[in-house]
Amino acid sequence: MIGQWHREIEDRLGSRIVSWRRYLHQRPELSFEEKHTPAFIAAELEKLGLEVRTGVGGGGVVGVLRGAGPGPTIALRADFDALPIQDEKDVEYASTVPGVMHACGHDGHTSSLLGVATLLSEQREKLRGSIVFLFQHAEEKPPGGAQAMIADGCLDGVDAVFGIHLATELPVGQIGLCDGTFMANVDAFTIHVEGKGGHAARPHESVDSIVIACELVGQLQQIVSRRVGPMHPAVVSVGKIQGGTAFNVIAGRTMLEGTVRTFDPQVRALIEQEVRIIAEGVARSSHASIRVDYMNGYPSLVNHSKETAIVREAVAGTLPDAAIVDLEKRMGAEDFAYYLQHKPGSFLYVGARGEDERTHYPHHHPRFDIDERALLQSAKVFLSIVGRYLTEPS
């Protein structure tokens, strides 16, 4: 049966899935600003006769497909927000929205899951249980959309939840799994330095906020090397410094933004403490006022062993041409972690790098693109999981 589903989604729905992806790619929407995309998703799901809820958690869409017989309920998740990046690809489906693009594959996630919903809506009589299709807004921007959707009941009655992320780090045909801890805690900080502006020729009459900001950057880099134990992975990165107005003016205000990535909750707390201690110390020694805004973002993503093993078994048994690779944990982050705090499940990667060099750019790059064969591969993996849970032995 599952093999037949795979053939059908490739033969009948492959071109439609690609078309959906390109349509969405041209119309990206930023986190918490999604309007057209969820409306488009809801309209497609309603055509299939699913039970559809919109505005879930503020911006999400949930579709429920009930099978002909009793059985478990599984949830499949796709995200649909874009990033504030200018699309630099020279392709016919490039973003038409200045400064906004799908640079992480969320358009592909959504299109693949719509294809799965379309096919399975025609197979209700063969399903023993239910499928909850989770289309999530705002994955890219903490606090994200997952928590709000969960609070709004999207996981009510769900027995297990699964998510897929397209990955250009893996070639098409590879499926990446990780049992246990997979992704990091992610935190963000903003440091506001308030000095005293003045003429660049008379620095002794000013308090130079840019010099102070540079000192902060140097000291922040010593947290991981000198305050965190060497056996505990951690990252502190400053990604933005903004200050000054002219070459001959000492800046009175400068702002820094950065991120912290950890796995251990004690290390997570330690780094926040150290950021604040450093800021206080530099403020005292430099006669400046420094304020730290620190935000705890997504928690570490931890896959459940049983469900990850089920995915491995389902893929190996139904996709003989797929190569399963075991992934090491990584410093990236995902708010899918929240779903896994509430329900057992697993989050996996599907290879999206092809032979064409345009598919070799990393995620969040202005020329990011995928090999669209990965869209069908993602759909097939989801179908294999559904078959493992909701069909009778054939």
Side-chain angles (χ1 to χ4, degrees):
M1 180 189 300
I2 300 171
Q4 179 63 32
W5 288 355
H6 290 173
R7 288 188 293 273
E8 285 192 38
I9 203 158
E10 187 162 357
D11 295 341
R12 293 199 295 111
L13 296 172
S15 60
R16 195 187 309 181
I17 292 173
V18 171
S19 178
W20 280 330
R21 184 255 168 169
R22 295 187 175 192
Y23 176 85
L24 294 173
H25 199 84
Q26 291 180 298
R27 297 163 178 83
E29 295 179 298
L30 294 174
S31 307
F32 297 108
E33 299 178 17
E34 307 98 332
K35 292 181 174 58
H36 171 80
T37 307
F40 170 80
I41 294 168
E44 293 296 328
L45 295 178
E46 287 168 354
K47 293 177 187 176
L48 306 177
L50 272 61
E51 301 170 21
V52 180
R53 289 177 61 206
T54 59
V56 181
V61 180
V62 174
V64 180
L65 174 62
R66 303 190 188 280
T73 297
I74 63 169
L76 308 177
R77 179 268 208 166
D79 40 17
F80 56 74
D81 56 326
L83 286 155
I85 299 173
Q86 178 62 42
D87 195 344
E88 296 180 1
K89 294 191 301 298
D90 183 19
V91 293
E92 62 181 13
Y93 51 85
S95 170
T96 60
V97 182
V100 183
M101 73 170 288
H102 276 291
C104 203
H106 295 187
D107 52 335
H109 304 163
T110 292
S111 302
S112 291
L113 192 55
L114 281 175
V116 171
T118 301
L119 179 63
L120 292 179
S121 69
E122 304 166 357
Q123 304 289 324
R124 297 171 197 258
E125 72 284 354
K126 298 177 182 177
L127 299 178
R128 301 297 178 263
S130 300
I131 307 167
V132 178
F133 297 96
L134 304 176
F135 292 90
Q136 184 201 310
H137 62 301
E139 187 280 326
E140 293 286 1
K141 185 176 182 179
Q147 283 191 99
M149 288 186 65
I150 293 167
D152 203 4
C154 76
L155 291 181
D156 291 355
V158 168
D159 297 300
V161 58
F162 299 91
I164 284 176
H165 204 300
L166 297 170
T168 57
E169 66 185 80
L170 300 177
V172 172
Q174 287 193 358
I175 311 297
L177 302 179
C178 182
D179 183 8
T181 301
F182 185 22
M183 293 187 178
N185 304 300
V186 55
D187 300 327
F189 60 83
T190 302
I191 302 178
H192 305 270
V193 180
E194 182 81 25
K196 180 182 177 183
H199 200 295
R202 300 178 65 82
H204 58 291
E205 297 177 351
S206 304
V207 178
D208 194 331
S209 65
I210 289 180
V211 171
I212 296 167
C214 291
E215 182 178 352
L216 283 168
V217 173
Q219 291 203 32
L220 290 171
Q221 294 309 304
Q222 295 181 46
I223 294 176
V224 173
S225 66
R226 290 297 177 266
R227 295 295 296 143
V228 176
M231 304 306 292
H232 294 283
V235 169
V236 177
S237 294
V238 175
K240 180 179 180 180
I241 300 180
Q242 188 171 10
T245 57
F247 80 99
N248 59 350
V249 177
I250 288 178
R253 297 183 182 88
T254 298
M255 180 269 291
L256 301 86
E257 291 183 356
T259 186
V260 174
R261 308 295 173 109
T262 58
F263 292 103
D264 188 292
Q266 292 182 331
V267 173
R268 188 182 198 183
L270 170 67
I271 292 179
E272 179 178 355
Q273 175 182 304
E274 288 298 316
V275 169
R276 296 186 184 279
I277 289 172
I278 288 171
E280 291 170 3
V282 171
R284 285 195 300 269
S285 65
S286 60
H287 308 289
S289 172
I290 300 178
R291 186 180 88 247
V292 177
D293 296 328
Y294 203 99
M295 182 185 69
N296 292 126
Y298 306 155
S300 179
L301 188 153
V302 182
N303 283 326
H304 295 250
S305 295
K306 178 182 175 182
E307 284 65 35
T308 303
I310 287 173
V311 173
R312 184 186 299 272
E313 172 191 315
V315 171
T318 60
L319 286 171
D321 294 333
I324 298 175
V325 295
D326 291 306
L327 301 177
E328 297 180 347
K329 60 185 179 181
R330 55 210 52 221
M331 286 298 183
E334 244 283 352
D335 75 345
F336 191 85
Y338 290 117
Y339 298 111
L340 296 176
Q341 289 183 337
H342 290 265
K343 299 290 181 178
S346 192
F347 189 73
L348 56 143
Y349 277 10
V350 170
R353 187 180 74 241
E355 295 78 13
D356 193 322
E357 289 189 2
R358 68 179 175 78
T359 66
H360 295 186
Y361 292 97
H363 293 248
H364 296 206
H365 190 282
R367 298 186 69 183
F368 173 85
D369 205 355
I370 61 169
D371 187 316
E372 290 175 325
R373 291 177 296 172
L375 301 173
L376 283 174
Q377 189 79 328
S378 295
K380 290 177 180 180
V381 171
F382 269 144
L383 290 170
S384 295
I385 294 170
V386 170
R388 171 63 175 76
Y389 274 91
L390 303 188
T391 62
E392 295 179 337
S394 58

